[in-house]
Amino acid sequence: MNRSRITSAAATVALLGGLATTQLATAASAFAYDSGAELNVGLTSGILYDKNSGKVMGDGIGGNFGNHGPEATKATVTVTAVKNVTFTGKPKVDKGTVKSWSAKKVVIVANLAADGDALENMDLPATLSGKKQTLRAVIKGDKPDPDTSNNSLTRTYSVDATKPKPTEKPTDKPTEKPGEKPTEKPTEEPSDKPTEKPGEKPGDNASDANTPAPAGGSDKGNGSDDGNLAETGSSSNTPLLVGGAGALVVLGGAAVFLAKRKKAGQN
């Protein structure tokens, strides 16, 4: 009988102990959310990409951050380009200031009020490369955060940002190389040479120029005489023939004179 009472008392104590532990945990949890900050950070799940320019369309890669906790806090947001992402300009933010930015990292500082229902937006100008891209965003505050599960996020995108390669290459190559010299040289020289020396004037020959004018001609004759001379074959050699005949007459007369003298001497 006493043993049963002892056992029941022990079970009752154990049950009360379990309830006390649960209540303490719940109370501690309620106390934790009554103070501190509840920070979160996010990145867009998709990217609009212009393949011609290689840039993210719009204002860039989108993201947000905020504080849902009961206390205001000063938060620092850091976004890192882990793979195939390059930041190309100063980010735009709804609230806060851009502390620094480079091709691989962006740092934003903002004072976040308590119990913020709306998230603050950020836009990150960037270019993409490769076939997969990775970004990582982290937020930290100057107040304790009981739940840090939303303080960081790693997002991987599958955007084909590879540049198209030419599919066709020129296969035909020129068979002849430029600059080849001709193998055959001209062997024949021009045979036609000018027969007249430079300086000679075309026209009548020198013999024609020295031919004496026809004898017996007169400017007073009519045109018929010129025509007769042309028809009978008269030429410039007529004076020579007349001179030769005269010489024969003289020689004949001398011969007759000598013959008569010789005969008189014989008598």
Side-chain angles (χ1 to χ4, degrees), residues 187-207:
T187 55
E188 297 182 359
E189 296 181 356
S191 58
D192 297 336
K193 295 182 179 180
T195 55
E196 296 180 358
K197 296 181 180 180
E200 291 185 355
K201 296 181 179 180
D204 298 336
N205 296 331
S207 59

Side-chain angles (χ1 to χ4, degrees), residues 46-51 53-57 60-61 81 83-88 104 124-135 157-163:
I47 296 178
L48 295 178
Y49 170 75
D50 185 357
K51 197 163 188 176
S53 63
K55 296 180 180 180
V56 178
M57 297 178 65
I61 302 173
K83 182 179 180 181
N84 293 335
V85 178
T86 302
F87 298 123
T88 58
K104 294 301 179 182
L124 312 172
T127 58
L128 307 181
S129 60
K131 291 185 177 181
K132 286 189 176 183
Q133 303 78 29
T134 303
L135 284 179
Y157 304 95
S158 298
V159 178
D160 187 0
T162 56
K163 294 182 179 180

Side-chain angles (χ1 to χ4, degrees), residues 22-36 70 146:
T22 303
Q23 289 175 354
L24 289 174
T26 303
S29 177
F31 176 78
Y33 283 101
D34 288 340
S35 63

Side-chain angles (χ1 to χ4, degrees), residues 166-242:
T167 55
E168 296 182 359
K169 295 182 179 180
T171 55
D172 297 335
K173 296 182 179 179
T175 55
E176 297 181 0
K177 296 180 179 180
E180 290 184 353
K181 298 180 179 179
T183 55
E184 297 182 0
K185 296 182 179 180
T187 55
E188 297 182 359
E189 296 181 356
S191 58
D192 297 336
K193 295 182 179 180
T195 55
E196 296 180 358
K197 296 181 180 180
E200 291 185 355
K201 296 181 179 180
D204 298 336
N205 296 331
S207 59
D208 296 336
N210 296 327
T211 303
S218 174
D219 293 339
K220 297 179 181 181
N222 54 26
S224 61
D225 292 339
D226 294 338
N228 293 333
L229 289 176
E231 292 175 0
T232 56
S234 174
S235 67
S236 61
N237 294 326
T238 302
L240 296 177
L241 295 175
V242 173

